[in-house]
Amino acid sequence: MPEQQDARPQLTRRHRLLLTSWLGDWSVLADYSWPLQDTAVLHIVSDSGEHIVKASESSHHIQREINAHRTVLSTLDEVPVPRLQFADADAGVLVTEYLPGRLLLGAPEQDHADAFEQAGRILARLQVPGSLSAEYMDDVAAQAIELVQRAEEILDERSRRMLQERVAAVPRHPVRLHFTHGDYQPRNWLVHEGRIAVIDFGRGAQRSWVSDLVRLRSKDFHGRPELEAAFMRGMGRELDASDAAVLELETMREAIGTVVWSHGIGDRDFEQHGRAMIRRLLDGDAVSA
């Protein structure tokens, strides 16, 4: 078989010139880019220290991350997140400080309740409250229904009908928006000397606060109630009936979206994860306060 080519995205000439203008001479220590995305993620070193560079000419995640740093993260003191050092939204490139540590995903600490309690405390600080939205739940419901329709050739007719009925049955109410991470789970948490830090704000946006619980509940919390209890203790919050209604809609949108997206790119394992989420929903795994 022919040898597979490295499909990792590369820095453009414009990106390199900007980095040199900001940092002087620099070199790459490690490449964390993911072939399925169009963003270069590099660990580099310069005379001023170690940094993380993210760059893309087309990804909207770069714009989101720069905006998250400038509007929210820069206002939060003593929260363990990388600090923005340089950015050019026009060029699609940012530089943050490098935080030492390894991903919690796959580390022994991923089974430790203390790590999840720390992550809960950090999220409580990150989720700065914003405006009240009368349309938020309707928008999430509409997105879930649109995804069901896109899944016509992926999900059977009975499952699609049940999902549509389930979406329609969720009571609507105004929702207080918060700044949310958008992918809050151990693959975006670092652990260093027992302390947790949070990285990757490329999906940061104004959403319901419970939206940051969806991926945790579908993976790390599933069958591990002690981890969920520790996390919620760290957050200092409990779900009430209105939160549970929003979380149900968010979970349905996530489950269907996972199947549609992963099927489209041929990621069989992730598609099966989405299908498992849907099965649990249709088997009566309701979100409760």
Side-chain angles (χ1 to χ4, degrees), residues 124-145:
R125 294 286 309 280
L126 291 173
Q127 287 192 336
V128 177
S131 62
L132 188 69
S133 173
E135 299 82 25
Y136 184 82
M137 292 187 74
D138 286 334
D139 290 344
V140 175
Q143 291 164 19
I145 293 298

Side-chain angles (χ1 to χ4, degrees), residues 59-222:
S59 174
H60 64 281
H61 293 292
I62 293 289
Q63 312 302 322
R64 280 188 177 183
E65 185 147 11
I66 292 172
N67 185 63
H69 277 284
R70 288 176 171 170
T71 62
V72 178
L73 302 180
S74 63
T75 70
L76 301 176
D77 296 328
E78 299 181 2
V79 178
V81 298
R83 298 299 166 179
L84 185 68
Q85 296 174 319
F86 303 97
D88 188 320
D90 225 27
V93 59
L94 64 91
V95 179
T96 68
E97 66 176 327
Y98 169 78
L99 295 182
R102 64 189 186 282
L103 293 181
L104 188 72
L105 182 67
E109 293 89 343
Q110 191 175 356
D111 288 326
H112 296 179
D114 176 66
F116 282 83
E117 186 167 352
Q118 288 186 54
R121 285 199 299 269
I122 296 167
L123 185 60
R125 294 286 309 280
L126 291 173
Q127 287 192 336
V128 177
S131 62
L132 188 69
S133 173
E135 299 82 25
Y136 184 82
M137 292 187 74
D138 286 334
D139 290 344
V140 175
Q143 291 164 19
I145 293 298
E146 192 267 337
L147 286 165
V148 170
Q149 293 168 347
R150 287 172 55 188
E152 183 176 359
E153 298 181 1
I154 306 173
L155 296 174
D156 63 88
E157 182 179 357
R158 177 175 177 273
S159 295
R160 298 198 311 274
R161 185 184 69 254
M162 291 178 68
L163 286 166
Q164 288 176 316
E165 291 171 352
R166 182 98 174 241
V167 169
V170 177
R172 313 287 203 269
H173 56 78
V175 173
R176 175 68 62 188
L177 302 182
H178 292 73
F179 173 75
T180 55
H181 182 279
D183 192 15
Y184 205 72
Q185 55 179 314
R187 73 179 183 184
N188 287 318
W189 304 345
L190 297 178
V191 59
H192 179 64
E193 297 180 349
R195 308 307 298 170
I196 300 297
V198 177
I199 60 172
D200 195 356
F201 288 84
R203 296 193 75 251
Q206 296 292 309
R207 304 182 183 92
S208 68
W209 77 270
V210 298
S211 66
D212 273 335
L213 303 181
V214 174
R215 294 184 178 185
L216 286 166
R217 288 172 62 95
S218 72
K219 294 180 181 178
D220 293 87
F221 294 168
H222 185 62

Side-chain angles (χ1 to χ4, degrees), residues 217 228 238-245 247-248 286-289:
R217 288 172 62 95
E228 182 171 13
E238 295 181 358
L239 293 176
D240 60 23
S242 61
D243 293 328
L247 184 53
E248 186 165 7
V287 176
S288 58

Side-chain angles (χ1 to χ4, degrees), residues 4-24:
Q4 287 189 335
Q5 296 297 310
D6 187 347
R8 290 177 296 183
Q10 302 295 316
L11 296 178
T12 67
R13 181 174 183 274
R14 184 181 183 187
H15 294 149
R16 291 178 178 276
L17 288 173
L18 280 169
L19 290 177
T20 300
S21 71
W22 292 333
L23 301 170

